[in-house]
Amino acid sequence: MEIPEGYRAEIIEGAIEVSPTDRFAHAQVVNRLRDALALHLKDSDYGAWNDANVIHARRAWIPDGLVAPRTAELIEDEDGLGIKAQAVSLVVDVVSPGRSNQDRDRVRKRREHARASIPAYVIIDDYDGQGTVTLFTGPRPDKADWDDIHRVPYGTEVVIPEGPAKGFVIGEAITGSKRG
């Protein structure tokens, strides 16, 4: 499949979705997130990844950031298309503008990550009121849902509770200042 320049394709809930790459403000948040995660993980066997396909049950999605082992042999899927979902301990998505993109990030990707048993999922959302950060933990693959959902406004710190990124803080240094 040929993708036009400036677009990306993902397979989410069995459908191919083609969307434009994101705006500069989105890239700023993603870069701050990756830089901070890389520092947090610097002395571990795990790395901060972005712009990598995550593969589960013949589906592929591209989160804005993730944590997985640094060693390719531990994480590369059998077809060489990306990272096996079972190797991923944290996924972060920064919500993109536009109704269909927001639905993709808030609803469809949320279900995909739960189905894949990703231990923690974070959504950074500029378009939810004054801006929110939501942490999902306790995936329930059979229900495509989560046991624990912790949603806070920008300006409130969210701390990753477990895994290689345990103790990592998502706050104003990543999201920018509290809105409103």
Side-chain angles (χ1 to χ4, degrees):
M1 176 177 177
E2 293 251 351
I3 306 296
E5 187 174 331
Y7 284 77
R8 68 179 186 180
E10 300 174 279
I11 303 170
I12 302 172
E13 294 193 331
I16 297 173
E17 296 194 19
V18 178
S19 57
T21 55
D22 293 303
R23 60 192 174 87
F24 185 70
H26 183 277
Q28 285 180 305
V29 173
V30 171
N31 283 340
R32 288 191 296 252
L33 171 76
R34 191 196 175 291
D35 290 349
L37 262 174
L39 283 174
H40 184 82
L41 298 166
K42 71 180 170 140
D43 295 325
S44 77
D45 293 333
Y46 290 82
W49 298 77
N50 63 335
D51 202 28
N53 295 324
V54 176
I55 312 294
H56 175 72
R58 304 198 56 80
R59 294 181 175 104
W61 61 89
I62 307 167
D64 292 309
L66 64 96
V67 172
R70 296 177 196 275
T71 307
E73 296 82 39
L74 299 176
I75 63 174
E76 186 176 12
D77 83 300
E78 52 278 354
D79 296 322
L81 299 174
I83 297 172
K84 296 182 285 193
Q86 64 261 34
V88 176
S89 61
L90 170 68
V91 167
V92 182
D93 277 310
V94 179
V95 175
S96 299
R99 188 172 216 50
S100 66
N101 292 333
Q102 291 169 13
D103 182 57
R104 178 194 67 223
D105 292 339
R106 293 177 184 153
V107 180
R108 294 190 309 276
K109 279 188 171 184
R110 170 185 170 171
R111 292 190 301 239
E112 285 288 329
H113 300 323
R115 284 185 190 110
S117 295
I118 304 290
Y121 178 43
V122 175
I123 297 175
I124 299 172
D125 193 344
D126 263 356
Y127 305 98
D128 183 8
Q130 301 297 316
T132 61
V133 177
T134 307
L135 170 65
F136 300 87
T137 56
R140 293 177 24 209
D142 56 325
K143 303 279 187 198
D145 205 356
W146 301 84
D147 279 335
D148 300 305
I149 302 169
H150 180 69
R151 182 175 168 265
V152 300
Y154 281 7
T156 305
E157 292 183 346
V158 171
V159 180
I160 304 304
E162 60 189 50
K166 180 178 182 175
F168 180 71
V169 176
I170 298 174
E172 286 188 29
I174 293 171
T175 65
S177 300
K178 182 178 179 180
R179 312 291 198 282

